[in-house]
Amino acid sequence: MSTRPESDWDPRADAVLQDQVTVYDQMRQRCPVAHSEYMHWSLFRHADVMQVLTDHETFSSAASSHLSVPNGMDPPRHTEYRRIIDRYFTPERIAGFSSACSAIAASLVAKLSKGSEVELMADFAQAFALEMQSAFLGWPKALHEPLRLWIRKNRQATLEGDRAAMADIAFEFDGYIKDMLGTRRKLGVVASPDVTTSLLNERVAGRLLTDDEIVSILRNWTVGELGTMASCVGIIAHYLASHPAVQQLLRNDLSILPAAIDEILRIQAPLIANRRITTKPVTLGGRDLAAGERLSLIWASANRDEVVFKDAATFRLDRDPSQNLLYGAGIHVCPGAPLARLELLAITQELLTQTTNIALVADKPAVNAVYPAGGFSVLPLRID
């Protein structure tokens, strides 16, 4: 039997919602494997998270009752679908998107009103995520605003645990994607040869992917790209504004940007957690868990574990990159990491080269995002 206290903590307490990172740091010290009704068993230490990530037989990814390709699958089923997914993030495909990516980044930064205040999340970061996502997948600009609203509604329903609303929101997204798939099928050989069209021709187990499978793949990419990538931009910009010495270091040497971006996003995570479920009794962090227990892997805490990252809240470029869980680890490591790195490098480089200074606004503090989002929901900055 698992040890199930009524609650070790409340993930929806005001203190957590106001400053997730600080509370997670405290939980890592006080109760590194903690139970709550809302998040079940939360893992805060790097070692415990790594134990789960590297043992997919004990810790299953099939934690959702809904189809999730391939995130919510285990081998051998996961292996079949992952082989398809990985083809869309090869070095050749990423290199082929590089020019368009750079152009989008340059255009977005050029439109920023220099010498004045901007609300970076709504006015810039979300537009960045939408334009990059649409360009990579071949989606029309007309879909930008519906997707922006969809992401907002999805986050709110998830935070409130409103299952009826979540089901309605998922159905709405499915409709957008299925409409696009139907359009591409009608166009046949003259359909744009983009990522979305290509998925129509993918096969698994000797058959074409179903529409539901394609929708699941695109939903996973969209939620990850739009929500998390906007958060990444906000976190990076805020860190540069809050740490002028680091900002100047990067302005002086753009070659260190890739490592610097990963380090900044280690310090403050854009993605808070992922789920797993135990397949058999297991002990984690001194807690005995039964089969069928649900886990939340708290990336935002594991990546700040002082046992692995000395002076964890300090920006350093001499850390072991293999320990950084920004893009996960194990068989479910993020396949889109090369694309994300390309996009973040492009936008950060343009922010530094097209401006002279990025600064906080003294009387307008940033507002932290709340679970399941990371980073900021509102971010006033002065861009010169």
Side-chain angles (χ1 to χ4, degrees):
M1 295 291 292
S2 64
T3 303
R4 185 184 293 272
E6 285 190 11
S7 179
D8 292 312
W9 71 308
D10 180 4
R12 289 184 287 184
D14 287 344
V16 183
L17 296 180
Q18 290 170 11
D19 189 353
Q20 297 180 82
V21 172
T22 295
V23 174
Y24 296 160
D25 285 345
Q26 295 167 354
M27 290 300 299
R28 191 171 58 251
Q29 303 298 327
R30 181 176 72 81
C31 188
V33 178
H35 185 266
S36 66
E37 191 64 29
Y38 182 56
M39 293 180 72
H40 306 283
W41 290 99
S42 296
L43 311 185
F44 294 95
R45 293 191 304 202
H46 192 280
D48 295 327
V49 170
M50 282 298 295
Q51 180 179 339
V52 172
L53 294 177
T54 55
D55 182 1
H56 58 267
E57 293 181 354
T58 303
F59 304 100
S60 170
S61 292
S64 173
S65 58
H66 303 288
L67 179 67
S68 179
V69 183
N71 305 35
M73 296 176 171
D74 300 316
R77 194 179 180 207
H78 167 268
T79 308
E80 294 181 79
Y81 289 95
R82 182 60 188 251
R83 190 177 297 115
I84 294 171
I85 302 301
D86 285 345
R87 288 202 290 267
Y88 289 87
F89 301 100
T90 61
E92 294 76 18
R93 188 178 284 270
I94 299 304
F97 184 61
S98 178
S99 178
C101 177
S102 296
I104 292 169
S107 174
L108 285 170
V109 176
K111 292 174 185 175
L112 279 174
S113 180
K114 311 301 193 301
S116 62
E117 296 175 14
V118 299
E119 199 294 277
L120 199 84
M121 298 311 298
D123 296 343
F124 181 76
Q126 291 176 9
F128 156 80
L130 283 165
E131 290 205 28
M132 288 292 190
Q133 172 76 349
S134 297
F136 183 72
L137 295 178
W139 290 2
K141 288 187 177 182
L143 201 54
H144 287 190
E145 190 58 27
L147 281 176
R148 191 197 305 271
L149 295 174
W150 182 85
I151 289 290
R152 187 180 305 160
K153 290 187 291 185
N154 187 51
R155 281 181 173 173
Q156 187 63 33
T158 301
L159 176 64
E160 295 173 354
D162 187 337
R163 295 189 178 277
M166 290 166 69
D168 289 343
I169 291 164
F171 183 77
E172 177 186 339
F173 179 88
D174 293 0
Y176 294 141
I177 306 306
K178 288 182 177 179
D179 283 347
M180 282 195 291
L181 298 180
T183 298
R184 282 162 168 74
R185 282 198 178 96
K186 288 178 182 177
L187 290 171
V189 295
V190 298
S192 174
D194 53 40
V195 170
T196 303
T197 300
S198 296
L199 286 170
L200 289 169
N201 300 312
E202 294 288 1
R203 292 179 172 271
V204 63
R207 61 166 177 79
L208 291 171
L209 292 176
T210 67
D211 277 7
D212 285 343
E213 288 168 334
I214 296 173
V215 167
S216 178
I217 290 169
L218 292 173
R219 185 191 300 116
N220 284 333
W221 288 353
T222 302
V223 173
E225 182 80 7
L226 297 184
T228 308
M229 292 301 288
S231 294
C232 286
V233 173
I235 291 167
I236 293 166
H238 181 268
Y239 196 90
L240 297 178
S242 330
H243 299 80
V246 173
Q247 183 180 160
Q248 193 58 51
L249 172 70
L250 300 181
R251 287 183 183 278
N252 293 341
D253 186 0
L254 295 175
S255 70
I256 61 177
L257 267 181
I261 290 168
D262 278 10
E263 173 68 354
I264 291 169
L265 297 177
R266 178 198 64 77
I267 294 170
Q268 183 166 5
L271 179 64
I272 299 299
N274 271 152
R275 296 183 295 170
R276 295 291 191 276
I277 187 167
T278 57
T279 62
K280 56 188 175 184
V282 64
T283 299
L284 275 172
R287 309 298 289 265
D288 295 324
L289 309 184
E293 294 285 4
R294 295 185 175 275
L295 311 178
S296 296
L297 313 184
I298 310 296
W299 309 111
S301 172
N303 251 357
R304 292 168 60 90
D305 191 331
E306 300 83 355
V307 173
V308 178
F309 305 102
K310 185 179 179 181
D311 302 321
T314 302
F315 176 88
R316 288 174 48 177
L317 295 177
D318 61 347
R319 302 190 189 276
D320 178 358
S322 69
Q323 298 297 314
N324 190 336
L325 298 177
L326 174 60
Y327 296 104
I331 64 170
H332 287 281
V333 66
C334 178
L339 175 63
R341 285 190 166 110
L342 172 73
E343 293 176 352
L344 292 174
L345 176 61
I347 201 69
T348 307
Q349 184 166 294
E350 291 297 335
L351 277 171
L352 292 172
T353 57
Q354 289 196 45
T355 69
T356 57
N357 190 45
I358 302 169
L360 300 176
V361 179
D363 59 342
K364 296 181 181 178
V367 178
N368 290 332
V370 298
Y371 182 88
F376 304 94
S377 58
V378 178
L379 179 56
L381 293 177
R382 180 179 174 87
I383 309 291
D384 292 313

